[in-house]
Amino acid sequence: MKSVTDYGVNGHGVSSCSKRCSERKMAGLPEDMRRQIEARLRLQSRDNRVSCSAARGIAAELGVAAREVGSLADFLDIRINQCQLGCF
């Protein structure tokens, strides 16, 4: 299983436009914050899916925008389901 650090922020190893776009959006996040978000997403996910409320909770706990969590989830092929507000 690839992690965000396996791809880096320069696009190497990324094959789809969606992943490249998500990667550019994450470029402003420090690597340690990306790792924390990734760890929490993987912990919360089941079958590569995480609920909207869990994703928003991760964002609130770490003090980042929901879109940052959403971008990283896209990059990691984790889908956000049970969307409540259309944030993702």
Side-chain angles (χ1 to χ4, degrees), residues 1 4-6 13 15 17-19 22 25 35-37 41-42 46 49-51 55 57 63 74 78 80 83 87:
M1 179 178 290
V4 68
T5 55
D6 292 330
S15 60
C17 177
S18 176
K19 285 193 177 189
S22 293
K25 291 176 188 174
R35 287 181 184 189
Q36 288 181 47
I37 296 169
L41 281 170
R42 291 195 188 283
R46 299 291 177 259
R49 296 183 184 282
V50 67
S51 71
D74 285 344
I78 296 174
I80 297 174
C83 191
C87 299

Side-chain angles (χ1 to χ4, degrees), residues 9-69:
V9 292
N10 60 4
H12 295 294
V14 178
S15 60
S16 72
C17 177
S18 176
K19 285 193 177 189
R20 286 191 303 272
C21 293
S22 293
E23 190 172 58
R24 278 193 293 270
K25 291 176 188 174
M26 295 181 312
L29 279 177
E31 186 173 331
D32 64 323
M33 181 60 69
R34 285 195 307 265
R35 287 181 184 189
Q36 288 181 47
I37 296 169
E38 178 182 357
R40 291 180 189 222
L41 281 170
R42 291 195 188 283
L43 182 67
Q44 293 283 332
S45 71
R46 299 291 177 259
D47 298 323
N48 285 345
R49 296 183 184 282
V50 67
S51 71
C52 177
S53 61
R56 286 188 297 114
I58 292 168
E61 288 172 17
L62 296 176
V64 298
R67 72 178 176 272
E68 302 288 353
V69 175

